[in-house]
Amino acid sequence: KTDMIVIHHTGNPTDDDLSAKEINASHQSQAWTCIGYHYVIRKDGTIEIGRPHWTIGAHTYGENSHTIGIHVCGNFEIGEPTSKQIESLAMLLANICTDYGLPIDTTHVVGHRDLMATACPGYNLYKILQTIRGKAVFYQQQ
């Protein structure tokens, strides 16, 4: 049962903008079946599909069986998410939470660091997650 959405960033040394196809190739080179995330949000706000919802992700060790993983492109320890990424993430959260009947709150929409010892999704994205949740609530009510 899907009951949580986990937000991630790339965290590579540069503030990159990898496509779902590029992340898939990287994950497969590590002997994974395919991309670990269900969605990828590019710098221009484009939302790309990763794994289908009906498959278990590979993005948060020990939590994959009940979560959907969203990857926001960039290293948000050194860079900032774009305004287009923020809006796309909020709209995507509104849609997923509506589809799964999930509240848009700190229990159901979390950063990777809320579940594991990691900097992910990076300080500059994590610090605005509550604002993004608020935007998602707004979009859900439209």
Side-chain angles (χ1 to χ4, degrees):
K1 178 182 176 188
T2 300
D3 63 4
M4 188 181 291
I5 301 165
V6 184
I7 311 301
H8 300 268
H9 76 148
T10 308
N12 286 340
T14 60
D15 187 31
D16 53 32
D17 187 29
L18 300 174
S19 69
K21 183 177 179 179
E22 290 169 309
I23 295 168
N24 183 57
S26 171
H27 287 183
Q28 286 182 324
S29 75
Q30 298 172 58
W32 295 10
T33 303
C34 62
I35 187 170
Y37 312 106
H38 296 93
Y39 295 97
V40 172
I41 302 178
R42 305 292 300 276
K43 296 272 188 196
D44 67 359
T46 300
I47 299 170
E48 297 180 352
I49 303 296
R51 288 190 184 201
H53 281 215
W54 51 266
T55 62
I56 294 175
H59 55 87
T60 307
Y61 184 77
E63 304 289 344
N64 292 313
S65 66
H66 67 101
T67 60
I68 289 186
I70 301 175
H71 172 90
V72 183
C73 293
N75 180 337
F76 301 121
E77 288 293 306
I78 59 173
E80 300 279 342
T82 68
S83 59
K84 291 180 179 180
Q85 284 178 308
I86 292 167
E87 294 305 315
S88 290
L89 177 55
M91 286 186 255
L92 181 58
L93 289 170
N95 287 333
I96 295 170
C97 287
T98 297
D99 290 348
Y100 284 90
L102 301 176
I104 302 171
D105 60 21
T106 58
T107 301
H108 298 90
V109 178
V110 301
H112 187 189
R113 68 171 60 181
D114 293 320
L115 303 173
M116 298 184 69
T118 177
C120 184
Y123 175 78
N124 294 321
L125 178 54
Y126 190 78
K127 72 181 182 183
I128 61 170
L129 275 185
Q130 189 56 34
T131 299
I132 293 168
R133 288 184 197 101
K135 287 177 174 283
V137 169
F138 170 80
Y139 287 124
Q140 190 181 51
Q141 294 172 346
Q142 300 309 306

